Amino acid sequence: MAAAANDQTALLRFSQDFAAPIGIDCEPVASRRALRAPHLESGANTAYYCVRTADRSIVLIGFMGTGKSSVGRRLASVTGWPRFDTDQMIATALGMSITKIFARLGEEEFREQESRALDKLDSKQLSIIVTGGGVVLRPRNVARLHELGTVFCLTANLPTLEKRLGRRSHRPLLQTENRAETIQALLRERQPLYEQAADITIDTTSLTHDQVAQSIQDSLALA
Ligand code: S3P
């Protein structure tokens, strides 16, 4: 059982009636998630459960302004796990800020570097992995994120995102005449990708960074 729980998918196939008496904390997983593990059988009488343990890294995805970086810092401090921020990894690797990378090398090169940063991470090291808002644009990135850990998607409603992103203007994709329109267009394109990629989604609209971090810990029984 322990070996199965350490399977990279963290999915097990057994009934809750069996799991609870022997102290395994588990919860049903939507069939969509089970479908992402095609090597596991599926059948009419098969139920998949995601074992809630702290034995997987925490991966944060979500649109710009949803608080990934701040929540990631808090999670690193409470868990003691190292934090890897793909934007920081890329900036360090190329010796340039993200703004300069977009301006000098273009978005496509940035996306290539983003995939390379994910490849460099060690799936066996428990860590907090913070990604940039566009990481879901490449399907291979999404597959890699699932190898790395449990994928939490942070969201916020549109007015909140506009407010949060209005305060800062350093993000290259938001250097447009009409920032609100750009945010809406990007969200329209990405919303389905975030939904598909997420194991767990947390709406941060009315939560503080500490509350979001707490909610992630609770859902992984890390509290
Ligand atoms: C991007 C988001 C940024 C950064 C880059 C591209 C995006 O990260 O990776 O500017 O495509 O949404 P944050 O989500 O941390 O702002």
Side-chain angles (χ1 to χ4, degrees):
M1 190 60 69
N6 283 332
D7 184 290
Q8 292 232 329
T9 62
L11 285 172
L12 283 182
R13 182 168 58 92
F14 50 65
S15 89
Q16 206 152 15
D17 292 346
F18 165 72
I22 60 170
I24 295 178
D25 190 16
C26 64
E27 62 184 355
V29 179
S31 57
R32 189 164 58 81
R33 172 69 205 258
L35 286 175
R36 277 207 294 267
H39 59 291
L40 296 175
E41 271 172 58
S42 88
N45 300 318
T46 303
Y48 288 94
Y49 291 88
C50 175
V51 178
R52 294 168 61 192
T53 63
D55 66 357
R56 302 204 79 210
S57 292
I58 294 173
V59 178
L60 300 180
I61 65 167
F63 199 73
M64 297 172 267
T66 51
K68 301 179 298 283
S69 302
S70 305
V71 170
R73 271 191 284 274
R74 278 163 177 75
L75 283 169
S77 113
V78 291
T79 57
W81 296 353
R83 179 178 59 90
F84 297 98
D85 180 316
T86 54
D87 275 3
Q88 280 172 12
M89 291 170 73
I90 297 166
T92 305
L94 298 189
M96 269 186 256
S97 69
I98 300 299
T99 304
K100 283 201 176 129
I101 295 169
F102 268 73
R104 293 187 189 167
L105 309 175
E107 179 171 351
E108 204 38 47
E109 180 56 25
F110 172 79
R111 298 294 169 210
E112 193 50 43
Q113 294 293 331
E114 204 166 34
S115 298
R116 271 188 220 168
L118 293 179
D119 289 342
K120 281 186 204 155
L121 293 168
D122 179 356
S123 57
K124 290 184 207 76
Q125 178 177 29
L126 284 177
S127 45
I128 309 297
I129 298 163
V130 178
T131 62
V135 76
V136 291
L137 293 170
R138 288 188 166 191
R140 67 167 269 209
N141 291 350
V142 175
R144 177 70 183 138
L145 294 175
H146 285 287
E147 280 172 15
L148 289 168
T150 304
V151 179
F152 287 85
C153 181
L154 307 190
T155 64
N157 67 22
L158 188 58
T160 304
L161 286 177
E162 286 177 357
K163 204 163 97 195
R164 290 183 192 167
L165 293 168
R167 284 199 291 262
R168 290 201 192 158
S169 60
H170 66 272
R171 291 173 170 95
L173 291 181
L174 299 183
Q175 306 309 307
T176 59
E177 296 253 307
N178 188 334
R179 183 170 296 172
E181 223 168 68
T182 306
I183 292 172
Q184 286 176 41
L186 287 171
L187 269 175
R188 259 196 308 277
E189 179 196 2
R190 294 177 179 184
Q191 200 93 46
L193 303 177
Y194 291 132
E195 278 168 22
Q196 265 195 324
D199 288 317
I200 297 171
T201 298
I202 298 178
D203 183 356
T204 70
T205 302
S206 50
L207 299 180
T208 63
H209 295 321
D210 280 336
Q211 286 170 327
V212 177
Q214 187 61 53
S215 152
I216 289 173
Q217 291 171 72
D218 290 347
S219 66
L220 288 175
L222 273 172

